[in-house]
Amino acid sequence: MTPPSEVQERYSGAVMNTFGPPALALARGEGAHVWDTDGKEYVDLLAGIAVNALGHAHPALVEAVTAQLSTLGHVSNFFATEPQVTLAERLLGLLGWTDGRVFFSNSGTEANEAALKLTRRTGRTRLIAAEGSFHGRTMGALALTSKAAYREPFQPLPGDVTFVPYDDVAALEAAVDDTVAAVVLEPMQGEAGVIVPSPDYLAAAQRIARSHGALLWLDEVQTGIARTGAWFAHQLLDGIEPDVVTLAKGLGGGIPIGATVARGEAATLLQPGNHGTTFGGNPVATAAALAVLDTIESDDLLGATLARGDQLAGLLAKQAGIVEVAGAGLMRGVELDGPYAVQAVAAGREAGFILNATGPSRLRFVPPLVITESDLDALDAALPAILDTARAQEASS
Ligand SMILES: *Cc1c(COP(=O)(O)O)cnc(C)c1O
């Protein structure tokens, strides 16, 4: 094992211990590669948790942020700026919504917090969320997040949330009635390890929500912005028309931004005074997001995500020890044949790959959308030894 770097040594004396000790101290990045403070290079298959859509230090993002910051960096929401309005229009266009509106914030949890407040304005308070869900860590978003370890230290949470098993239509039928404000679902559960529901699940959720006058709110914080090979994961399916979509992670390519997008009546539920933010929709963040969207279009990163996603799924599926590959595009989860995912992340690091475990036997791959064929060839070549080392370490522990 490599000893902790000087930055890691200083970390615990200055930074709150909410994340546990950091695995590495990183110094710079380029494309799908990062370098630590000792100069060691890694292929990044995590992308800051599905955030760095354009990889690291992409010239288009650097240019957009630099140009905007040297023109007008922040003004508050007392004023409009051109990048903010253009980004809202672009997101509505990508969703195909002619009657939508956007609220900008700075993160996924805030995008969900705004959506949660929006649902309260329906006059109903009950929400239906799924077991295995992750919607964020602020108190409202946490109320929708199922994991007991995240919730229990903070009870009581803002209430009236019913959890149903994910991908279980009968459970939804039984839970949703005319008191429900919204059904909140991830199109694929990201933090749970990329869990993909049956192809007709979202359609059933939509039908059930509609029949009770409840909103369908899809949390696309992780799945959105080309991650799955479509602009939004629900667009991989036919006929899904959510009322509310929340976005963040990939949207700013690493510059913090969240967006709550609603259409129809849901778009007018939040009225002046109901919600606000100082930073949300700031010109730098919205200019960054526009650069991300422009680059996805100009460089056909939707096509690249599909091609590299197929390559990734193919190389994972043929590895000894991987028993299941799930997901779409460049969002893939794999189930190992034993509880050695954490050891695989450590062995990957030694071998020069940033991997991610979402559970004892589950790995998640969410690399930059610009990852190259040869980066994935390198992963293909290295994985057998990484998994062998991890399995052996787990067996001897
Ligand atoms: C990451 C994530 C969030 C929370 O986003 P933050 O920016 O960490 O607050 C919410 N929902 C989903 C689906 C996520 O993956």
Side-chain angles (χ1 to χ4, degrees), residues 49 106-112 134-138 141 145 186 188-191 219-223 246 248-249 257 364:
I49 318 184
N106 312 289
S107 64
T109 202
E110 283 174 86
N112 286 330
F134 183 83
H135 298 292
R137 304 290 204 131
T138 54
T145 293
E186 294 162 85
M188 296 176 195
Q189 291 185 330
E191 293 310 294
D219 179 345
E220 294 239 25
V221 165
Q222 187 157 163
T223 53
T246 45
K249 292 197 166 91
I257 184 169
R364 167 178 53 176

Side-chain angles (χ1 to χ4, degrees), residues 50-121:
V51 165
N52 301 98
L54 306 186
H56 300 274
H58 193 288
L61 190 57
V62 173
E63 218 288 303
V65 168
T66 307
Q68 187 60 50
L69 187 56
S70 49
T71 307
L72 186 67
H74 175 81
V75 295
S76 89
N77 283 297
F78 284 118
F79 308 101
T81 64
E82 209 269 338
Q84 180 191 58
V85 177
T86 305
L87 179 63
E89 292 168 347
R90 286 282 291 280
L91 291 175
L92 294 171
L94 294 173
L95 283 160
W97 293 358
T98 52
D99 58 349
R101 297 287 185 275
V102 183
F103 178 86
F104 288 115
S105 54
N106 312 289
S107 64
T109 202
E110 283 174 86
N112 286 330
E113 206 71 29
L116 174 58
K117 286 181 72 177
L118 179 156
T119 68
R120 284 288 170 100
R121 304 299 299 155

Side-chain angles (χ1 to χ4, degrees), residues 295-327:
T295 305
I296 291 172
E297 280 176 356
S298 64
D299 294 4
D300 187 25
L301 293 183
L302 285 168
T305 298
L306 289 173
R308 296 287 74 79
D310 283 350
Q311 185 188 355
L312 177 61
L315 76 86
L316 293 171
K318 70 179 171 62
Q319 299 293 330
I322 290 182
V323 294
E324 184 217 340
V325 182

Side-chain angles (χ1 to χ4, degrees), residues 210-299:
R210 293 275 139 81
S211 70
H212 291 283
L215 301 172
L216 178 66
W217 159 11
L218 296 183
D219 179 345
E220 294 239 25
V221 165
Q222 187 157 163
T223 53
I225 315 298
R227 173 58 49 195
T228 65
W231 280 106
F232 307 98
H234 73 266
Q235 294 175 338
L236 294 168
L237 303 161
D238 285 332
I240 306 299
E241 283 289 345
D243 303 288
V244 179
V245 168
T246 45
L247 301 170
K249 292 197 166 91
L251 178 58
I255 301 296
I257 184 169
T260 306
V261 196
R263 68 184 181 93
E265 281 173 37
T268 58
L269 286 170
L270 287 175
Q271 286 294 311
N274 283 164
H275 198 44
T277 166
T278 300
F279 293 112
N282 123 343
V284 174
T286 48
L290 284 169
V292 170
L293 302 185
D294 286 343
T295 305
I296 291 172
E297 280 176 356
S298 64
D299 294 4

